Amino acid sequence: MDELLSRARSGATVNALAGEGNPKYHGKGIISRVKLLAACNADSPEARELKALLKRNADATISPGRPQYRWSDESIALLTENYAKGMAANKIVPLIKARFGQDFTAAAITTKASRLGLLRDVPVKTPRRRVLAPLTAALRFPLNSLLDRINRAVPRHLARDHRDDVIGEIALAIYEGRLNEIEIERRVGEFVNASYRRDHDRFGPLSLDVPLHESGPATLIDTITKGLWQ
């Protein structure tokens, strides 16, 4: 057990102790994997320490043959101290290497600092929202109401009757429980496409609500003078 603990404290993994996995471990194992697992599961302080060390060493391995940097309380304190002074990651790398003998990258230092919450908040510039010119065809609903949210989600480039149909279909789907309110923006395209295929395809059947002229209220239904069965 002493030899196992000694090697585990030095960074040895299960494969290294059992002589398995990476070819560089073959023939160098000191215990079988089965016996090693049994030693880890024993009810003793040494077994618990061995199990914790092997887990730490396994977590510290990025890929076979390349050990990840093992952070200690001292190295984390050094990292925190220098970040508090505003020192850049590439300046901290040689300090850690000189003190702890670990060769690490500035990117990995930055990642660790980010996980520790050491990075200073960088102001994010939010692009100004483009304000669309008022459209006479756009419906107006009470601010922040359900219909107002649907109206804002439906594309403005659609024809007036097409937009009206889509808004009505989405509202109906919500009231009937076929659509959750939180999915309006994500699924609005489905309703636009369905409405287009059903009523607004110029090569297919036309909606009776299609306006005849942009300057007047007359629609296609006003041209019907004879019923289908007459």
Side-chain angles (χ1 to χ4, degrees):
M1 178 62 78
D2 292 339
E3 179 64 19
L4 294 176
L5 285 172
S6 176
R7 295 199 181 193
R9 289 166 185 157
S10 299
T13 62
V14 172
N15 285 340
L17 294 175
E20 301 176 357
N22 196 299
K24 70 178 182 178
Y25 299 141
H26 292 178
K28 299 180 181 179
I30 62 172
I31 188 174
S32 69
R33 179 180 290 268
V34 174
K35 291 183 178 180
L36 179 58
L37 294 178
C40 291
N41 292 324
D43 187 15
S44 67
E46 293 82 3
R48 287 189 287 272
E49 180 185 0
L50 177 61
K51 186 175 182 179
L53 288 172
L54 292 177
K55 183 179 185 304
R56 182 203 66 181
N57 296 341
D59 293 340
T61 301
I62 294 178
S63 61
R66 183 181 178 188
Q68 186 183 23
Y69 186 84
R70 294 175 175 81
W71 292 95
S72 63
D73 294 338
E74 294 79 8
S75 57
I76 291 177
L78 178 63
L79 178 65
T80 303
E81 177 185 354
N82 287 286
Y83 257 99
K85 295 178 181 178
M87 187 176 294
N90 59 342
K91 301 293 185 182
I92 301 177
V93 170
L95 296 179
I96 292 183
K97 181 178 180 180
R99 183 167 175 180
F100 301 101
Q102 296 287 349
D103 189 10
F104 213 48
T105 63
I109 294 289
T110 302
T111 300
K112 185 62 176 181
S114 176
R115 291 176 179 174
L116 294 174
L118 302 177
L119 296 182
R120 297 178 180 178
D121 294 333
V122 178
V124 178
K125 293 184 179 180
T126 304
R128 295 183 61 183
R129 185 175 181 181
R130 185 166 59 93
V131 179
L132 297 176
L135 300 176
T136 56
L139 298 177
R140 285 170 172 77
F141 302 104
L143 188 63
N144 295 326
S145 66
L146 174 61
L147 290 178
D148 177 57
R149 180 177 175 185
I150 297 173
N151 182 50
R152 285 186 277 113
V154 177
R156 297 292 180 119
H157 63 79
L158 301 179
R160 181 182 64 184
D161 59 311
H162 194 175
R163 290 193 84 249
D164 293 351
D165 289 347
V166 173
I167 291 172
E169 288 293 336
I170 293 177
L172 180 62
I174 293 174
Y175 291 138
E176 291 181 347
R178 293 182 285 111
L179 176 66
N180 194 303
E181 287 186 39
I182 64 175
E183 297 182 318
I184 292 176
E185 290 77 9
R186 183 175 67 85
R187 297 183 55 189
V188 64
E190 299 177 18
F191 290 87
V192 171
N193 293 337
S195 177
Y196 174 80
R197 290 192 300 267
R198 184 177 61 251
D199 300 316
H200 300 279
D201 183 357
R202 64 176 179 171
F203 299 108
L206 296 177
S207 170
L208 295 179
D209 295 325
V210 173
L212 293 178
H213 308 284
E214 294 184 0
S215 58
T219 61
L220 186 60
I221 196 173
D222 296 325
T223 64
I224 299 177
T225 59
K226 186 176 181 181
L228 179 64
W229 304 110
Q230 293 180 356

